[in-house]
Amino acid sequence: KYLPKTLLFQLLGLSIATMSTVTHYGHHFTRISETSLDGNSYRVIHYRAFYFGICLSMTLILAALLSSAATVRESQCLTAMGFFCFALAFCGLIPAAYWRYTHSTEVEDSIMDVYDFVYEEVRRNSSSFRRHELTAIHKAFLCCGKHSPFGDTTDVESKTCPADQVH
């Protein structure tokens, strides 16, 4: 009766761990993290989100295992420890939800800061190192440059965008 529910919590924990790993090592996120400057907050957010997801998944898996063992052994101590792990996971999600609500645009803003910095470096300097980074960002995010109201893009897009996306 209780074992299928704990199996679902184990699968939930594994799915959170998988999601955290995929987003941490995914092509889009690593490209921006490698390019970001030390003063940019994206890298800090990137690592904190990964470690928070891994800790949350391990807490859920531990709670599910303790609940399974408590059901099999009919132990009140194991039941209390499993309940404590679930309460710990819930209490960890409250600050995460609050941070998400109060800092809703921080990740997007920090990614745009990285992109703007690299774009301006290529526009000013035409450095091969930064041009390679900008080309990689364009390929990863399937985007192509910026639109300036002044028309001052100086053919950066023609050098860094994939051929099928050049305007």
Side-chain angles (χ1 to χ4, degrees):
K1 180 178 177 180
Y2 293 106
L3 287 178
K5 290 180 184 178
T6 60
L7 181 63
L8 290 176
F9 284 117
Q10 288 174 347
L11 289 175
L12 178 64
L14 286 175
S15 65
I16 291 173
T18 302
M19 179 77 126
S20 297
T21 304
V22 166
T23 57
H24 183 72
Y25 294 108
H27 185 63
H28 295 82
F29 302 106
T30 56
R31 177 61 56 202
I32 294 295
S33 183
E34 290 169 355
T35 308
S36 68
L37 303 172
D38 293 332
N40 192 319
S41 63
Y42 178 76
R43 192 175 290 169
V44 174
I45 295 169
H46 184 72
Y47 284 109
R48 284 186 183 172
F50 172 68
Y51 291 124
F52 178 78
I54 294 298
C55 289
L56 177 65
S57 68
M58 292 304 147
T59 304
L60 286 173
I61 291 171
L62 178 65
L65 290 174
L66 287 172
S67 296
S68 297
T71 302
V72 171
R73 291 181 167 222
E74 297 179 0
S75 169
Q76 291 180 351
C77 181
L78 289 175
T79 303
M81 288 173 37
F83 178 77
F84 176 74
C85 287
F86 283 124
L88 189 65
F90 179 75
C91 290
L93 286 174
I94 291 172
Y98 177 76
W99 184 88
R100 169 65 179 94
Y101 179 74
T102 58
H103 297 86
S104 61
T105 62
E106 189 171 335
V107 174
E108 182 181 348
D109 292 343
S110 62
I111 289 175
M112 288 306 296
D113 289 343
V114 171
Y115 181 78
D116 289 341
F117 170 75
V118 173
Y119 187 88
E120 290 302 316
E121 283 288 314
V122 170
R123 192 177 65 78
R124 283 189 211 134
N125 195 3
S126 188
S127 163
S128 63
F129 173 68
R130 292 291 183 196
R131 187 178 329 132
H132 175 68
E133 287 180 343
L134 188 61
T135 303
I137 290 171
H138 285 164
K139 285 181 184 176
F141 286 94
L142 300 175
C143 65
C144 186
K146 301 189 309 186
H147 296 288
S148 173
F150 306 111
D152 185 15
T153 55
T154 65
D155 76 334
V156 170
E157 286 82 8
S158 64
K159 296 178 183 176
T160 61
C161 292
D164 59 340
Q165 291 186 359
V166 176
H167 303 297

